Amino acid sequence: MSVSSLPTGRAAISRRRLLAGAGALATLACLPPAARATPTCLPPGQIPPKPQDVFDLTIERTGVHILPQPQHAPSVNGQVPAPILRWREGDTVTLNVHNTLDEDTSIHWHGIRCPADMDGVPGLSFGGIPPGQSFTYRFPVKQSGTYWYHSHSNMQEAMGLYGAIIIDPAGGETHQYDRDYVILLSDWSATHPDRIVHNLKFQDDYYNFRQRTVASFFKDARRDGAMAVLRDRLQWAGMNMAATDISDVTGATYTYLMNGQPPTANWTGLFKPGETVRLRFINASAMTFYDIRIPGLQMRVIQSDGQDVEPVTVDEFRIGVAETYDCLVQPTANQAYTVFAQTEDRTGYARGTLTPHAGMTAPIPPMDPRPVRTMLDMGMAMTHGMKDMPGPAHDAPPLNVENQNVAAMPVNRLADPGDGLRNNGRRVLTYADLRATRPIADTRSPSRAITLHLTGNMERYIWGFDGKKFSEAEPIPLRLGERVRFVLINDTMMEHPIHLHGLWSELENGQGLYNPVKHTIISQPGSRLSYLVSADTPGLWAFHCHLLYHMDLGMFRTVVVS
Ligand SMILES: [Cu+2]
């Protein structure tokens, strides 16, 4: 499809309004795939009626009208987000990916256990897909649940190249439900990702318009005492960090999308009162954590990262970039409900509606107060000032230009819902709640531990492991068949969603044989956590922070299983 074939200007906008009003299509990019057999273009969030095992996916530059101003984005079969792929456990899937862009591309199947040469990371798995060429991915599907896929080339993922994967379990679903929707969250900017990175390098709080003020000093002083507040402020000033710096990129430039639709377009899912609805939440953002709730409804969390967990009933949960959570909800009243996904920094939200009647809406709740980072996030919760700081652990990386802080007292934060979610009067999911429904397969103890510090210099916008960028670091070698413990110590003030390709990460959250199995694990600021990995698939695997700009600026390693 050529961009010039798309309606533009006023005609496009009025058509967009019509389509949005009908709740039919997210973007103008979503046109019927004329000559293509698969996959068909469904309304956003709608899961294809049947699983398939052969797909033709054409990556092309497409005009999209998510914002008032028209943009171009890399798309799959003309769709942003890319079409939902529905597979069946036990099938061998074939995915023919055609590149019509003028640059290399790739597709990575996030959370899918496949041979390393099918993983889709240029430079590790294969050479990438050059312009005008095709690549066929083929692998057996050995798992079920909710996953997603995205480009691993350049900044294509940040610009819209992502989509959902739903895999039907071979033995049938564990839970009964009447309706099934994907709720894919993402962040969208009119500014090119390279320009955003440039701006962050120029000034780390470029997108942070909410620095604390003199007025807030006196407000805090009345509450906590002037000396305590002054000491706290001086500490932050001495560290060249802002306690309000929650997200690097904010609502100042981002519009937050639900199934490709901005809050004004209001993605809508229908239900009949009394029905059970499955919602498959996927965070396909480049840089944004969301806190999700549906005022008036409780959510039964049944899966995390595609894996069944013992159901946990909650009012709210946080979803890190690249994580997935599946929930069941049972709306009984003949009323609409707002699916509310406020960003962690409270600078915006994605929003949609579950309703028995198209066009019915529910109130949008006000956003919660923004979180403020504390000494807990510095890994110094027990100390009273920088001077009293105990010496860093002996394995900690040195303080230098690439490492601004050392968490002297990193703590276990798995039972902590996270900054901005504590004591808010709602039952909020934590990692400590996650308990697998099946015991882990490999019961051996780990033979060794690999400790990694998550490090950075916020001011210079440098990120890494152990104070080293990817370009300076050696790969992490694992022996095929060995079982190791990864220990992550977060020396930075930010959450990092850490993703290991190709292998499972069994989070050690105290559930023993029933520890949850994940592909992406949030490391909270100032925290220490660990997970076990069985190195059961050979090859070169990417291991990185899934905040795209952190990955791009150094928080990336290669894991070699041989
Ligand atoms: Cu990160």
Side-chain angles (χ1 to χ4, degrees):
M1 180 192 332
S2 77
V3 170
S4 61
S5 71
L6 291 166
T8 51
R10 189 182 295 260
I13 289 177
S14 59
R15 178 155 179 241
R16 180 172 71 93
R17 285 221 183 94
L18 272 175
L19 293 171
L25 298 175
T27 67
L28 272 186
C30 190
L31 297 172
R36 293 182 198 110
T38 63
T40 50
C41 183
L42 292 165
Q46 298 273 352
I47 296 166
K50 283 199 186 101
Q52 291 173 237
D53 58 3
V54 178
F55 296 84
D56 273 284
L57 305 176
T58 299
I59 299 180
E60 56 198 347
R61 222 167 120 80
T62 301
V64 290
H65 294 263
I66 288 169
L67 303 178
Q69 64 271 45
Q71 284 174 275
H72 289 146
S75 69
V76 175
N77 294 358
Q79 290 179 238
V80 177
I84 298 172
L85 308 183
R86 183 167 172 189
W87 303 347
R88 180 173 27 220
E89 183 182 6
D91 282 0
T92 292
V93 289
T94 301
L95 304 119
N96 305 304
V97 179
H98 315 290
N99 182 11
T100 72
L101 304 176
D102 57 7
E103 61 178 24
D104 280 18
T105 192
S106 57
I107 298 281
H108 162 60
W109 317 99
H110 184 101
I112 303 296
R113 304 286 318 270
C114 61
D117 58 353
M118 294 289 126
D119 191 47
V121 179
L124 295 184
S125 321
F126 72 147
I129 311 173
Q133 304 217 358
S134 299
F135 183 84
T136 296
Y137 296 84
R138 186 177 291 123
F139 49 87
V141 178
K142 297 177 171 172
Q143 62 201 93
S144 62
T146 303
Y147 302 91
W148 63 295
Y149 62 109
H150 60 82
S151 168
H152 231 288
S153 298
N154 302 330
M155 289 289 176
Q156 291 162 8
E157 182 195 339
M159 298 177 71
L161 219 174
Y162 41 71
I165 299 171
I166 307 302
I167 310 176
D168 295 351
E173 293 289 353
T174 311
H175 299 272
Q176 298 298 312
Y177 46 88
D178 304 294
R179 301 205 187 226
D180 196 359
Y181 294 114
V182 164
I183 298 196
L184 183 143
L185 300 162
S186 57
D187 44 24
W188 192 265
S189 176
T191 306
H192 192 282
D194 290 339
R195 167 57 55 177
I196 293 177
V197 170
H198 175 87
N199 291 341
L200 290 168
K201 277 257 170 217
F202 170 70
Q203 188 186 334
D204 67 285
D205 59 354
Y206 188 90
Y207 293 106
N208 185 2
F209 296 163
R210 291 171 151 192
Q211 305 293 349
R212 289 193 294 190
T213 60
V214 174
S216 75
F217 172 85
F218 287 109
K219 184 162 154 264
D220 292 353
R222 275 197 298 277
R223 191 189 60 210
D224 301 332
M227 280 315 292
V229 175
L230 182 62
R231 194 170 55 218
D232 181 63
R233 295 296 157 92
L234 289 174
Q235 283 175 7
W236 289 116
M239 291 181 293
N240 289 316
M241 290 182 214
T244 50
D245 217 351
I246 305 297
S247 305
D248 302 343
V249 192
T250 68
T253 186
Y254 275 150
T255 298
Y256 301 104
L257 307 183
M258 184 174 289
N259 289 326
Q261 302 195 342
T264 47
N266 187 23
W267 175 84
T268 296
L270 292 174
F271 70 88
K272 290 202 187 89
E275 284 184 333
T276 302
V277 182
R278 180 177 187 152
L279 302 173
R280 301 172 183 262
F281 289 94
I282 300 167
N283 189 347
S285 294
M287 291 298 289
T288 308
F289 279 36
Y290 290 97
D291 296 334
I292 295 166
R293 62 196 156 102
I294 307 175
L297 283 184
Q298 289 196 305
M299 299 177 279
R300 275 178 88 209
V301 177
I302 56 167
Q303 277 191 359
S304 163
D305 288 1
Q307 304 298 296
D308 281 346
V309 293
E310 292 293 345
V312 191
T313 300
V314 299
D315 300 313
E316 186 168 24
F317 66 92
R318 172 163 291 173
I319 186 166
V321 171
E323 288 189 300
T324 73
Y325 282 102
D326 287 43
C327 302
L328 299 180
V329 295
Q330 202 170 14
T332 51
N334 188 33
Q335 67 166 82
Y337 298 88
T338 294
V339 182
F340 187 63
Q342 60 180 338
T343 64
E344 185 194 0
D345 66 2
R346 315 299 186 227
T347 61
Y349 57 84
R351 160 257 189 167
T353 300
L354 294 176
T355 178
H357 308 289
M360 195 186 257
T361 58
I364 300 172
M367 282 191 284
D368 287 329
R370 67 193 157 128
V372 175
R373 300 296 195 200
T374 65
M375 287 295 136
L376 175 66
D377 300 303
M378 297 286 302
M380 290 172 195
M382 308 300 286
T383 62
H384 298 291
M386 301 302 281
K387 278 196 194 128
D388 310 330
M389 201 178 90
H394 69 276
D395 65 342
L399 287 167
N400 57 29
V401 71
E402 290 175 6
N403 181 32
Q404 220 176 6
N405 179 51
V406 169
M409 294 187 183
V411 291
N412 179 335
R413 295 185 68 175
L414 297 180
D416 179 350
D419 285 342
L421 292 179
R422 280 173 232 116
N423 308 313
N424 65 4
R426 303 190 285 267
R427 169 74 170 91
V428 185
L429 186 78
T430 74
Y431 271 1
D433 294 323
L434 299 176
R435 181 178 170 85
T437 57
R438 287 183 307 193
I440 52 169
D442 189 348
T443 55
R444 293 174 299 158
S445 303
S447 56
R448 63 192 174 108
I450 297 169
T451 300
L452 291 164
H453 286 254
L454 314 185
T455 52
N457 181 332
M458 192 69 196
E459 209 185 350
R460 302 222 182 170
Y461 213 70
I462 297 170
W463 301 97
F465 292 105
D466 290 341
K468 283 183 185 160
K469 287 184 283 194
F470 176 57
S471 54
E472 304 163 341
E474 298 290 318
I476 300 169
L478 302 182
R479 285 185 309 280
L480 183 61
E482 86 168 317
R483 188 155 165 83
V484 297
R485 171 176 287 130
F486 278 77
V487 179
L488 299 185
I489 296 172
N490 189 342
D491 291 337
T492 78
M493 279 178 53
M494 299 192 76
E495 292 83 4
H496 301 279
I498 301 297
H499 173 45
L500 172 60
H501 287 223
L503 308 169
W504 284 123
S505 302
E506 300 165 14
L507 179 65
E508 295 192 283
N509 71 342
Q511 307 282 5
L513 283 176
Y514 294 87
N515 281 341
V517 174
K518 288 176 64 61
H519 49 60
T520 307
I521 292 177
I522 301 174
S523 164
Q524 294 198 52
S527 78
R528 180 189 188 282
L529 63 75
S530 64
Y531 50 94
L532 301 178
V533 174
S534 291
D536 56 8
T537 315
L540 302 177
W541 299 108
F543 175 72
H544 61 91
C545 178
H546 222 285
L547 297 180
L548 209 61
Y549 304 153
H550 292 192
M551 174 178 90
D552 196 52
L553 293 168
M555 208 177 257
F556 188 106
R557 285 285 186 282
T558 306
V559 166
V560 184
V561 180
S562 56

